[in-house]
Amino acid sequence: MEVKTIAVIGAGAMGSGIAQVASEAGFNVIMRDIEERFLQNGLNNIKKNMTRAVEKGKKSQAEADALIARIRGTVELSALSEVDVVIEAMVENMALKKELYAQLDAICKPDTVLASNTSGLSITEMASATGRPEKVVGMHFFNPVPVMRLVEVIKGAATDEQTYALIMELSRKLGKEPILVNEAPLFVVNRILAPMINEAAFVLMEGVARAEEIDRGMMLGANHPIGPLALADLIGLDVLLAVMDTLHKETGDSKYRACPLIRKLVRAGHYGRKSGHGFYTY
């Protein structure tokens, strides 16, 4: 199947980023969200990125205008009836995702591939809500999407080789480098990254070192561009806690128990950068 039109569900930071790179690669894009204001926010983000690219000389004004023109916003799910690939980037809630996938299954063409940008939920479970589980796959981008080169392509229990190959090739056409992942809780990157951040929180909670020292230690000793606690504040401590709880629940392994300090901060509403307080004050 030749992919010409891509639908992106969700116009937040991830969805608008995916829509931008898809349009940049020459695809026609339909970006769908549940409210007009969310769509406008997403489209405004893309326009801001294009303005910056033109100012820096990375794109001509004509190229920027053409990229924006290839993206169409809609609140109607029925507008996705003729697309070739759907990339879903909605909130990380399995019940809502399954409801959406059942609707997409009824609306989209029989050969349309349904890809989820989930950062760790089960592709197999999402696929179970459809009559085309072989055409459901994970396509996990990293934030910020236009900058980060990795895409984790995740194969669910029923995903067929044709679907898998199509999404691997599509990822490359979007200028990304895909890695092959067999479905497992949190896939590859988050499976390794989240426990590392969690361990840094334990080191802080136990009084082994201050936050600044922990972060400086990992930056200078492991050559990380940002320390784990500063990274947690950037990701959002609420997101990190949900990720750790998912990993703990799915595996039943005590080594994935979320650090009590993270849970305490989240209960206090200290989510990191977005709330102004986390491991650091902003």
Side-chain angles (χ1 to χ4, degrees):
M1 177 178 75
E2 187 187 353
V3 177
K4 291 181 179 174
T5 304
I6 296 171
V8 179
I9 295 183
M14 295 301 288
S16 63
I18 294 166
Q20 180 182 316
V21 299
S23 177
E24 199 163 21
F27 295 98
N28 294 315
V29 180
I30 301 174
M31 187 164 66
R32 189 262 181 180
D33 213 315
I34 52 174
E35 288 185 34
E36 196 65 46
R37 65 192 171 109
F38 298 144
L39 273 178
Q40 285 311 313
N41 284 343
L43 291 167
N44 287 339
N45 282 341
I46 295 167
K47 285 172 185 172
K48 277 182 205 162
N49 289 345
M50 289 304 100
T51 300
R52 263 197 302 271
V54 171
E55 286 170 356
K56 289 179 178 177
K58 292 180 178 178
K59 278 195 185 345
S60 68
Q61 190 60 55
E63 286 171 331
D65 291 343
L67 184 149
I68 292 163
R70 281 192 293 271
I71 302 170
R72 177 161 70 91
T74 184
V75 293
E76 301 296 332
L77 208 56
S78 56
L80 278 52
S81 61
E82 294 300 313
V83 303
D84 303 307
V85 172
V86 175
I87 303 173
E88 166 268 310
M90 67 179 290
V91 64
E92 292 281 66
N93 178 304
M94 182 57 83
L96 292 178
K97 284 185 191 284
K98 285 171 81 172
E99 188 181 328
L100 173 71
Y101 278 81
Q103 292 172 317
L104 289 171
D105 191 40
I107 289 166
C108 295
K109 299 181 295 184
D111 61 347
T112 298
V113 169
L114 308 178
S116 178
N117 178 56
T118 180
S119 59
L121 296 179
S122 170
I123 301 302
T124 301
E125 188 172 347
M126 289 176 217
S128 72
T130 76
R132 63 178 88 190
E134 73 285 352
K135 295 199 173 295
V136 181
V137 66
M139 194 178 189
H140 180 215
F141 293 81
F142 288 77
N143 195 20
V145 177
V147 176
M148 300 294 276
R149 295 186 67 189
L150 178 66
V151 173
E152 290 180 319
V153 179
I154 304 104
K155 192 175 186 182
T159 311
D160 65 21
E161 292 302 322
Q162 189 180 357
T163 299
Y164 204 49
L166 180 90
I167 296 302
M168 290 291 287
E169 183 56 30
L170 177 60
S171 300
R172 293 187 187 102
K173 285 178 179 172
L174 297 182
K176 304 302 179 188
E177 292 191 23
I179 61 170
L180 311 171
V181 182
N182 287 311
E183 183 185 303
L186 299 194
F187 316 139
V188 170
V189 174
N190 286 336
R191 168 80 172 268
I192 297 165
L193 186 64
M196 184 199 74
I197 297 172
N198 194 53
E199 195 61 31
F202 271 114
V203 170
L204 177 66
M205 185 181 78
E206 292 164 13
V208 178
R210 295 183 302 116
E212 294 85 352
E213 306 296 328
I214 294 165
D215 278 355
R216 199 181 315 145
M218 290 305 291
M219 290 168 73
L220 298 176
N223 208 24
H224 290 190
I226 183 173
L229 300 176
L231 179 57
D233 279 353
L234 189 61
I235 293 166
L237 300 191
D238 52 336
V239 175
L240 177 64
L241 180 61
V243 163
M244 288 306 300
D245 283 346
T246 297
L247 197 47
H248 190 213
K249 182 184 169 192
E250 287 279 330
T251 63
D253 193 329
S254 62
K255 73 180 178 184
Y256 298 123
R257 176 175 70 96
C259 176
L261 177 58
I262 297 173
R263 201 176 298 280
K264 186 177 177 181
L265 289 168
V266 169
R267 284 173 175 164
H270 295 175
Y271 303 141
R273 284 182 179 268
K274 61 187 171 187
S275 69
H277 294 278
F279 290 115
Y280 297 94
T281 300
Y282 300 91

